[in-house]
């Protein structure tokens, strides 16, 4: 029978091809971790398990290197604008320059999220990158390369600003006097302010940007605007509390660039740890919240947890 069916030449029947092994949950066909840490989500993000967060195969993922390079280029221009913005406000004699500086910074951040969320996730900030890693939305290798790109970009942007600004006058001092605690507030108080407001910003960012169910209320396109407004408000409020306290940083990479190029013996160079430690603490607290009581992930039935509770009651 086999000879007749397969040509009568003694040919063996064709072997059945094995179906390709489906990729593990949270990874693609090449074993790289899926990236769900974008600030403009199209669908419900799937949190990675611990193995997905620690997936070392991402070190050989070419797409991750491309995204990190784009993150670096975008961060250079963003931090350059951040260093130059005070020069347009402080010398002009504004009564409360912190208001305008903070909201201008929030507006620029919102525009950059719109521009780069599709290619890199629109992080541009170690605070966002670390928080998505702690929440299981970004793998450790991607977070590591993003933070290296962001910090390197802040230092390069500071170098560009220092080259452009004249040596005479207060221009360089104004540009790099950022992330400074001062004498009227202690390092411990500054740490508490940084941690609390950073956690608040992360809760807003995760609630409006990383939770697609919220788009039913206002649409996903408004998420960067809400993040920028929150960032500007927190910068304005905290920067108006004490006279020589520049306010919360909410972006430790920006502080690092200012500390490298600050011309003085005090200022950001001494107090840099306050802003880094405060932001890392906020990321850890947010990760604890989202691993124990995840408010943004849907239930097995596909409905948000709040909707399920209301229907059951």
């Amino acid at each position: 029978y086999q000879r007749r069916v397969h040509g009568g030449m003694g040919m063996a029947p064709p072997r059945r091809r094995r179906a390709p092994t489906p990729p593990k949950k949270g990874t693609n066909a090449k074993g790289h971790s899926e990236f769900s840490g974008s600030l403009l989500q199209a669908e419900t993000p799937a949190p990675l398990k611990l193995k997905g967060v620690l997936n070392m195969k991402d070190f050989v993922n070419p797409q991750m290197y491309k995204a990190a390079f784009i993150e670096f280029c975008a961060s250079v221009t963003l931090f350059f604008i951040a260093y130059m913005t005070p020069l347009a406000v402080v010398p002009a004699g504004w009564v409360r320059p912190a208001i305008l500086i903070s909201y201008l910074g929030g507006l620029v951040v919102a525009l950059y999220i719109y521009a780069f969320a599709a290619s890199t996730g629109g992080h541009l900030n170690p605070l966002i990158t670390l928080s998505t890693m702690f929440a299981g939305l970004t793998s450790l290798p991607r977070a590591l390369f993003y933070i290296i790109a962001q910090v390197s970009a802040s230092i390069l942007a500071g170098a560009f600003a220092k080259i452009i600004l004249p040596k005479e006058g207060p221009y360089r001092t104004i540009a790099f006097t950022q992330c400074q605690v001062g004498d009227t507030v202690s390092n411990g108080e500054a740490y508490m302010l940084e941690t609390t407001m950073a956690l608040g910003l992360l809760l807003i960012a995760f609630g409006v940007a990383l939770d697609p169910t919220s788009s039913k209320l206002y649409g996903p396109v408004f998420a960067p605007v809400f993040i920028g407004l929150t960032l500007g408000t927190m910068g304005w409020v905290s920067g108006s509390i004490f006279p020589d306290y520049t306010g919360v940083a909410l972006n430790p990479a920006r502080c690092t660039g200012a500390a490298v190029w600050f011309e003085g013996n005090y200022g950001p160079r001494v107090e840099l740890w306050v802003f880094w430690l405060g932001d890392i603490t906020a990321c850890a607290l947010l990760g604890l919240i989202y691993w124990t009581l995840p408010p943004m992930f849907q239930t097995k039935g596909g409905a948000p947890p709040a909707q399920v509770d209301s229907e059951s009651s």
Side-chain angles (χ1 to χ4, degrees):
Y1 171 76
Q2 292 180 356
R3 292 171 183 256
R4 289 198 304 271
V5 172
H6 299 288
M9 299 298 293
M11 297 174 61
R15 296 181 180 180
R16 294 181 179 179
R17 296 182 178 179
R18 293 184 179 180
T21 304
K24 296 181 180 180
K25 187 177 181 180
T27 61
N28 56 23
K30 296 183 179 180
H32 303 146
S33 297
E34 295 290 351
F35 176 55
S36 300
S38 175
L39 289 177
L40 287 179
Q41 290 287 344
E43 56 186 14
T44 302
L48 301 172
K49 295 182 178 179
L50 183 60
K51 290 183 179 179
V53 175
L54 302 178
N55 187 3
M56 297 297 106
K57 290 185 179 180
D58 278 2
F59 280 113
V60 294
N61 183 2
Q63 298 300 325
M64 187 267 293
Y65 287 96
K66 293 179 182 178
F69 179 73
I70 297 174
E71 186 84 1
F72 169 78
C73 295
S75 298
V76 169
T77 57
L78 175 64
F79 292 134
F80 181 80
I81 295 173
Y83 296 143
M84 303 297 284
T85 299
L87 295 172
V89 178
V90 176
W94 287 80
V95 178
R96 290 187 176 272
I99 300 177
L100 192 55
I101 293 174
S102 300
Y103 281 107
L104 283 175
L107 174 62
V108 173
V109 168
L111 295 176
Y112 268 74
I113 294 175
Y114 280 123
F116 296 100
S119 56
T120 71
H123 289 192
L124 308 167
N125 188 343
L127 177 66
I128 300 297
T129 301
L130 281 175
S131 64
T132 56
M133 187 194 73
F134 278 113
L137 302 178
T138 301
S139 65
L140 175 62
R142 182 182 289 267
L144 178 63
F145 276 91
Y146 270 28
I147 293 174
I148 292 175
Q150 292 156 0
V151 174
S152 302
S154 71
I155 297 174
L156 183 60
F160 289 159
K162 190 169 184 178
I163 293 172
I164 293 173
L165 295 176
K167 296 181 180 180
E168 295 76 14
Y171 301 103
R172 293 185 179 182
T173 303
I174 294 174
F176 298 123
T177 303
Q178 304 189 27
C179 309
Q180 185 166 316
V181 174
D183 298 325
T184 56
V185 59
S186 66
N187 288 339
E189 292 169 341
Y191 166 76
M192 290 299 297
L193 280 169
E194 185 72 24
T195 302
T196 305
M197 291 202 173
L199 181 59
L201 176 64
L202 291 177
L203 290 174
I204 294 295
F206 272 67
V208 301
L210 290 165
D211 185 3
T213 58
S214 299
S215 62
K216 298 178 181 179
L217 301 175
Y218 45 76
V221 296
F222 288 103
V225 176
F226 293 154
I227 294 174
L229 286 174
T230 304
L231 184 66
T233 302
M234 290 183 172
W236 164 43
V237 172
S238 61
S240 303
I241 299 176
F242 303 103
D244 55 351
Y245 171 56
T246 58
V248 293
L250 303 179
N251 192 329
R254 174 174 60 85
C255 299
T256 304
V260 169
W261 301 110
F262 180 77
E263 297 179 350
N265 297 322
Y266 191 61
R269 291 184 180 178
V270 178
E271 300 152 345
L272 182 61
W273 68 271
V274 173
F275 303 99
W276 272 101
L277 184 60
D279 289 342
I280 292 173
T281 304
C283 293
L285 291 174
L286 180 119
L288 180 64
I289 293 172
Y290 273 78
W291 279 108
T292 55
L293 298 171
M296 72 175 179
F297 302 124
Q298 294 181 346
T299 61
K300 293 182 179 180
Q307 182 177 342
V308 174
D309 294 340
S310 62
E311 291 177 355
S312 61
S313 59

